[in-house]
């Protein structure tokens, strides 16, 4: 493996499983010591009779208590700080659509390590200091902004904080600055491509784009492949969450065979969300993460609610950091319709196989005459709205394919390109109008 960057820590990239295990044990002990200063954890440790010395292997993490998003809300704003507030230099906060928002604190070291983590990922996917990196994600509280900004700068790339939206300006930057890499949510990139088409810009001919980092929202393999084909660019899946720092927690390598989660920074567990017991490798469960390096707000066994599975612990790229499957969504993204569990990504996967369709879609759940229904609106790639017979047969094929996947028959509506709402941040894929009547 070619790892010769002075910005990274090559010795951590290629750790053997044994070395990872040893490092995790030491770092987990440190985390437990740090958490013992937080009243929330101190009380739990006392009740459970746990001390740092009881940790003799990474598996001992199972002796420790879980932490939930509700715990973050209950201790809002600074209740989980493990250092005095004067040692903190940054605060990020989630939207808080329900109840208190959550707050994540960072020390100077936390930010430093976070930047290293992101730089490491960008290096892994083949970016180098002479690349031009355009960060087309929201800035502000959304960690995808500053997280990628500092990581890309740390690696030494010319970094363009373009932020989200304003596609015409994005395209101008891409062309004028010779942008080679973009970070954005996948739903935005498909929109950007449409605007390029409208403007007569051919990304292959008119730009130097070669790498995308896409993430922050669930997306299907089919969606990724579509993006890669549209632009002629490799798109790498990037997983992050504010509670763990932000982007950089997991990233695909050039093999594109799952997300490497960095085990020198986190302990990864996949548990059954009901029993909270570990599930075997390959089985879907809830991702649970324990921070190993964070100072300001270390978190133990944080229940992410993201559903995924372990794909392996080795990789042809030479890294032995655990590989996880792409997230199929959060447990709270799951729709239950007439007793059937459905994830938006299942619908997306099917829609993306139809070349006649564009990439934007919206799922609406309604109650009509006491029956729950699902309507899937999806944009057409080109206009042929006057060809009624063609529209009808396409609608039929899509409905059938969706039924085979989700075992229910949705109402499919084909709509003109550009007619569905596009959000600047994470895409809103589901509108549940049933809740109004509950
Ligand atoms: P919020 O909780 O307000 O959405 P975050 O930016 O912290 O703010 O979101 C983290 C969540 O975003 C993750 O828990 C996961 O559900 C989702 N997410 C992030 N990256 C990916 C990805 N690559 N694939 C699927 N989901 C992702
Ligand atoms: Zn790899």
């Amino acid at each position: 493996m070619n790892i010769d960057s002075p910005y990274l820590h090559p010795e951590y990239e290629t750790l053997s499983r044994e070395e990872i295990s040893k490092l995790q044990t030491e770092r987990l002990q440190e985390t437990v010591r740090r958490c013992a200063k937080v009243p929330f954890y101190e009380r739990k440790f006392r009740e459970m009779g746990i001390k740092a010395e009881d940790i003799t292997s990474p598996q001992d993490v199972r002796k420790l208590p879980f932490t939930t998003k509700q715990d973050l809300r209950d201790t809002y704003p600074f209740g989980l700080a493990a250092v005095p507030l004067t040692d903190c230099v940054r605060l990020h906060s989630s939207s808080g659509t329900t109840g208190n928002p959550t707050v994540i604190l960072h020390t100077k070291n936390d930010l430093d390590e976070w930047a290293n983590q992101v730089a490491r990922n960008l290096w892994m996917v083949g970016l180098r200091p002479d690349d031009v990196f355009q960060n087309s994600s929201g800035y502000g509280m959304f960690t995808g902004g500053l997280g990628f900004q500092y990581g890309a700068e740390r690696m030494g790339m010319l970094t363009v904080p373009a932020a989200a939206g304003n596609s015409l300006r994005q395209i101008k930057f891409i062309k004028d600055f010779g942008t080679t890499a973009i970070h954005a949510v996948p739903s935005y990139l498909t929109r950007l491509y449409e605007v390029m088409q409208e403007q007569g810009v051919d990304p292959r001919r008119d730009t130097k784009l070669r790498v995308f980092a896409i993430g922050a929202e669930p997306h299907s393999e089919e969606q990724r492949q579509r993006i890669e084909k549209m632009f002629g660019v490799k798109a790498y899946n990037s997983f992050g969450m504010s509670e763990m720092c932000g982007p950089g927690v997991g990233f695909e390598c050039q093999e594109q065979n799952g997300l490497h989660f960095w085990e020198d920074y986190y302990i990864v567990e996949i548990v059954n969300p009901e029993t909270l017991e570990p599930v075997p490798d390959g089985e879907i469960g809830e991702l649970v993460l324990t921070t190993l390096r964070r100072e300001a707000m270390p978190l133990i066994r944080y229940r992410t609610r993201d559903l995924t599975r372990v794909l392996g612990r080795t990789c042809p790229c030479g890294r032995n950091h655990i590989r996880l499957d792409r997230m199929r969504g959060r447990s709270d993204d799951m729709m239950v319709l007439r007793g059937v569990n459905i994830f938006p990504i299942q619908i997306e996967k099917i829609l993306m196989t139809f070349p006649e369709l564009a990439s934007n879609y919206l799922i609406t759940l309604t109650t009509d005459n006491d029956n729950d229904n699902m309507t899937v609106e999806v944009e057409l790639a080109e206009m042929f709205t006057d060809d009624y017979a063609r529209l009808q047969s396409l609608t039929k094929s899509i409905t059938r394919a969706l039924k085979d996947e989700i075992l229910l028959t949705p109402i499919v509506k084909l709509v003109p390109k550009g007619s569905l709402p596009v959000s600047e941040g994470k895409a809103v894929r589901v509108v549940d109008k049933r809740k109004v009547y509950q």
Side-chain angles (χ1 to χ4, degrees):
M1 192 195 315
N2 174 21
I3 300 169
D4 50 4
S5 166
Y7 307 100
L8 302 182
H9 302 288
E11 67 274 25
Y12 290 119
E13 294 280 318
T14 50
L15 289 172
S16 67
R17 291 303 310 171
E18 264 167 36
E19 289 163 331
I20 288 175
S21 179
K22 189 163 167 281
L23 189 70
Q24 286 192 325
T25 308
E26 287 161 19
R27 291 186 169 182
L28 182 57
Q29 287 175 352
E30 273 168 40
T31 294
V32 170
R33 273 190 207 105
R34 250 180 252 143
C35 284
K37 293 180 202 142
V38 182
F40 170 86
Y41 282 121
E42 191 275 329
R43 185 172 43 83
K44 291 203 173 191
F45 291 170
R46 194 160 22 91
E47 282 167 10
M48 296 166 92
I50 299 159
K51 291 198 184 63
E53 301 78 69
D54 298 336
I55 304 294
T56 56
S57 76
Q59 287 71 35
D60 282 340
V61 75
R62 292 187 204 144
K63 295 178 180 164
L64 302 174
F66 285 95
T67 311
T68 63
K69 192 153 193 147
Q70 190 57 43
D71 293 328
L72 265 67
R73 292 204 172 105
D74 293 345
T75 53
Y76 175 88
F78 304 134
L80 287 180
V83 299
L85 221 50
T86 47
D87 291 349
C88 297
V89 295
R90 173 114 54 92
L91 177 158
H92 279 277
S93 174
S94 76
S95 48
T97 33
T98 50
N100 268 341
T102 55
V103 158
I104 311 296
L105 295 165
H106 302 262
T107 64
K108 231 168 182 265
N109 278 342
D110 289 336
L111 293 183
D112 202 45
E113 297 237 25
W114 181 13
N116 280 338
Q117 239 174 300
V118 173
R120 154 200 260 187
N121 292 313
L122 297 174
W123 186 276
M124 176 168 73
V125 298
L127 293 171
R128 294 296 176 264
D130 56 359
D131 275 289
V132 178
F133 187 88
Q134 186 161 324
N135 192 12
S136 306
S137 89
Y139 275 68
M141 285 299 182
F142 178 53
T143 50
L146 293 179
F148 270 98
Q149 180 70 33
Y150 285 106
E153 287 177 5
R154 171 66 50 94
M155 209 253 254
M157 291 188 282
L158 174 60
T159 309
V160 184
N166 200 340
S167 300
L168 291 180
R169 197 176 66 146
Q170 301 277 359
I171 296 168
K172 186 168 170 49
F173 286 173
I174 292 168
K175 291 203 311 190
D176 295 353
F177 304 153
T179 300
T180 57
I182 292 182
H183 163 246
V185 291
S187 51
Y188 179 66
L189 284 176
T190 56
R191 175 71 195 138
L192 186 67
Y193 179 71
E194 287 169 8
V195 180
M196 280 188 173
Q197 276 189 313
E198 285 159 25
Q199 299 297 312
V201 175
D202 174 354
R204 286 182 172 78
R205 185 193 61 205
D206 305 324
T207 78
K208 294 188 178 153
L209 290 172
R210 63 184 196 90
V211 169
F212 288 153
I214 54 172
E217 64 185 15
H219 55 285
S220 55
E221 178 60 29
E222 288 74 10
Q223 167 92 300
R224 179 251 287 281
Q225 285 176 12
R226 207 173 234 242
I227 291 172
E228 291 191 327
K229 272 200 208 107
M230 283 169 167
F231 289 89
V233 166
K234 279 274 169 209
Y236 295 98
N237 191 358
S238 153
F239 176 89
M241 74 185 316
S242 315
E243 293 90 326
M244 294 295 121
C245 66
V249 178
F251 222 92
E252 272 179 335
C253 68
Q254 287 177 311
E255 302 289 332
Q256 294 186 307
N257 57 357
L259 297 142
H260 281 290
F261 269 61
W262 298 111
E263 292 181 276
D264 46 341
Y265 282 109
Y266 308 99
I267 291 182
V268 175
E269 296 174 87
I270 311 286
V271 305
N272 176 319
E274 310 277 311
T275 63
L276 300 182
E277 289 300 319
V279 302
D281 283 5
E283 227 171 77
I284 299 268
E286 179 179 346
L287 172 67
V288 172
L289 294 171
T290 299
T291 65
L292 293 177
R293 293 290 279 172
R294 299 201 15 91
E295 293 178 342
M297 226 176 110
L299 292 174
I300 289 182
R301 305 192 86 191
Y302 185 66
R303 292 190 57 185
T304 66
R305 295 179 296 173
D306 288 309
L307 300 172
T308 182
R309 63 192 175 126
V310 175
L311 292 179
R313 288 185 174 77
T314 54
C315 181
C317 77
R319 293 173 182 85
N320 300 313
H321 294 264
I322 196 166
R323 278 185 298 116
L324 301 185
D325 204 357
R326 62 176 60 250
M327 305 293 141
R328 55 169 54 191
R330 284 189 187 175
S331 43
D332 29 335
D333 291 336
M334 192 176 76
M335 303 174 270
V336 185
L337 193 74
R338 300 186 212 154
V340 181
N341 300 345
I342 306 161
F343 283 94
I345 203 172
Q346 289 177 274
I347 311 261
E348 176 182 298
K349 189 172 86 176
I350 300 299
L351 297 179
M352 294 299 129
T353 59
F354 287 87
E356 298 91 338
L357 300 179
S359 303
N360 202 7
Y361 65 96
L362 183 69
I363 302 163
T364 309
L365 306 176
T366 49
T367 308
D368 315 298
N369 303 325
D370 292 337
N371 266 329
D372 283 348
N373 285 315
M374 173 189 288
T375 304
V376 178
E377 288 171 281
V378 54
E379 292 184 4
L380 283 163
E382 40 163 331
M383 296 299 289
F384 52 86
T385 28
D386 44 351
D387 189 343
Y388 187 69
R390 196 170 159 205
L391 278 180
Q392 213 178 17
S393 93
L394 179 60
T395 308
K396 235 188 203 160
S397 315
I398 298 169
T399 310
R400 205 175 308 127
L402 284 173
K403 183 173 182 222
D404 285 346
E405 171 69 30
I406 62 174
L407 310 174
L408 284 172
T409 309
I411 303 158
V412 173
K413 284 188 185 163
L414 305 180
V415 301
K417 193 155 87 182
S419 58
L420 293 175
V422 188
S423 50
E424 280 208 345
K426 305 185 187 216
V428 179
R429 300 300 196 187
V430 182
V431 178
D432 192 347
K433 293 190 175 160
R434 295 175 304 173
K435 287 188 177 144
V436 177
Y437 307 104
Q438 277 168 7

